[in-house]
Amino acid sequence: DTGVSQDPRHKITKRGQNVTFRCDPISEHNRLYWYRQTLGQGPEFLTYFQNEAQLEKSRLLSDRFSAERPKGSFSTLEIQRTEQGDSAMYLCASSSLGQGSNEQFFGPGTRLTVL
Amino acid sequence: DAKTTQPPSMDCAEGRAANLPCNHSTISGNEYVYWYRQIHSQGPQYIIHGLKNNETNEMASLIITEDRKSSTLILPHATLRDTAVYYCIVRVGPSNDYKLSFGAGTTVTVRA
């Protein structure tokens, strides 16, 4: 499967714990995006990378959130001191700037439940 | 990005065409209309996009009105697997913009 993959698919944690999610984009896609989706709503943009550079962060991304893409390939999203309001689906997408339609390909998401 | 308005839900009979409307009356000249869909428990999936001409691919057709203030996504022969939330998104692109602004979308239920 050469699509976007995310790990884990599901994560249950207790309030106050730290969690880290991983996203592996489509090979050679230079753009990588993180979105968050709560129940009944459309996905909301969190941040994006072009290669290893993080070029924009949404105001939704509080100081407890940090994302990295150290070598311009996979990315991690860490949430520190989780709160119940962080419960959501975290989606990763990738695209290739300047090639084709620049459509974003999404992974299956990581569903986070904070107890 | 221009705001879009979609009906919250619609039903469609299997085998019939599904016509999904979207209003984007404040669209700018350099903004494209994109459609994505999200099947339950999956990530969104790109369907089609267009600027001002009608577009067709293997999944759907996109009809954009001449004034570009509205568009219709057509699924020509809906199947049960087309049951999903469909998002109409207007954005600058395709090579310049970087994020998608999703609304609530239209929940389409295809019935046997």
Side-chain angles (χ1 to χ4, degrees), chain B residues 12-42:
Chain B
C12 176
E14 187 179 23
R16 302 295 294 271
N19 298 303
L20 283 62
C22 179
N23 287 323
H24 32 79
S25 59
T26 59
I27 192 171
S28 299
N30 62 347
E31 289 180 316
Y32 288 69
V33 180
Y34 277 73
W35 283 84
Y36 279 74
R37 74 178 183 183
Q38 187 172 24
I39 296 171
H40 183 60
S41 297
Q42 298 183 20

Side-chain angles (χ1 to χ4, degrees), chain B:
Chain B
D1 288 345
K3 189 173 181 178
T4 62
T5 304
Q6 299 177 253
S9 65
M10 63 183 296
D11 286 358
C12 176
E14 187 179 23
R16 302 295 294 271
N19 298 303
L20 283 62
C22 179
N23 287 323
H24 32 79
S25 59
T26 59
I27 192 171
S28 299
N30 62 347
E31 289 180 316
Y32 288 69
V33 180
Y34 277 73
W35 283 84
Y36 279 74
R37 74 178 183 183
Q38 187 172 24
I39 296 171
H40 183 60
S41 297
Q42 298 183 20
Q45 175 191 23
Y46 166 84
I47 301 174
I48 198 167
H49 76 280
L51 182 61
K52 54 183 179 181
N53 296 323
N54 298 338
E55 303 287 346
T56 296
N57 63 19
E58 64 278 5
M59 290 183 68
S61 295
L62 174 60
I63 309 298
I64 302 174
T65 58
E66 191 169 347
D67 63 7
R68 303 209 322 121
K69 293 185 177 181
S70 66
S71 60
T72 301
L73 179 75
I74 301 172
L75 308 177
H77 304 287
T79 70
L80 298 179
R81 286 178 290 184
D82 291 323
T83 291
V85 179
Y86 287 76
Y87 298 100
C88 171
I89 299 166
V90 172
R91 65 170 206 174
V92 174
S95 61
N96 297 319
D97 201 21
Y98 47 81
K99 61 186 177 184
L100 298 171
S101 297
F102 292 85
T106 297
T107 299
V108 174
T109 304
V110 180
R111 304 191 184 278

Side-chain angles (χ1 to χ4, degrees), chain A:
Chain A
D1 190 333
T2 57
V4 178
S5 62
Q6 294 185 246
D7 183 72
R9 295 291 308 277
H10 303 273
K11 178 70 176 179
I12 300 173
T13 190
K14 293 182 179 180
R15 187 177 55 185
Q17 297 295 306
N18 299 342
V19 294
T20 300
F21 310 142
R22 175 179 171 125
C23 170
D24 286 90
I26 292 173
S27 179
E28 297 180 358
H29 273 189
N30 51 10
R31 283 188 167 172
L32 186 148
Y33 314 77
W34 286 98
Y35 293 82
R36 181 176 70 184
Q37 185 174 26
T38 54
L39 199 62
Q41 302 299 315
E44 297 173 291
F45 170 79
L46 291 178
T47 188
Y48 96 102
F49 293 83
Q50 184 161 315
N51 300 313
E52 66 276 8
Q54 186 174 18
L55 297 186
E56 182 175 344
K57 295 193 291 185
S58 162
R59 64 182 185 278
L60 295 174
L61 215 63
S62 74
D63 292 343
R64 297 184 296 104
F65 288 70
S66 63
E68 295 182 344
R69 193 183 185 199
K71 297 183 179 180
S73 56
F74 72 93
S75 175
T76 58
L77 177 67
E78 181 182 16
I79 308 174
Q80 296 182 325
R81 304 181 303 282
T82 53
E83 301 173 356
Q84 288 186 326
D86 297 331
S87 295
M89 175 76 83
Y90 290 85
L91 293 160
C92 175
S94 69
S95 69
S96 182
L97 173 64
Q99 296 185 21
S101 67
N102 196 35
E103 62 187 86
Q104 294 184 21
F105 293 84
F106 284 80
T110 294
R111 181 166 296 282
L112 173 66
T113 302
V114 181
L115 302 176

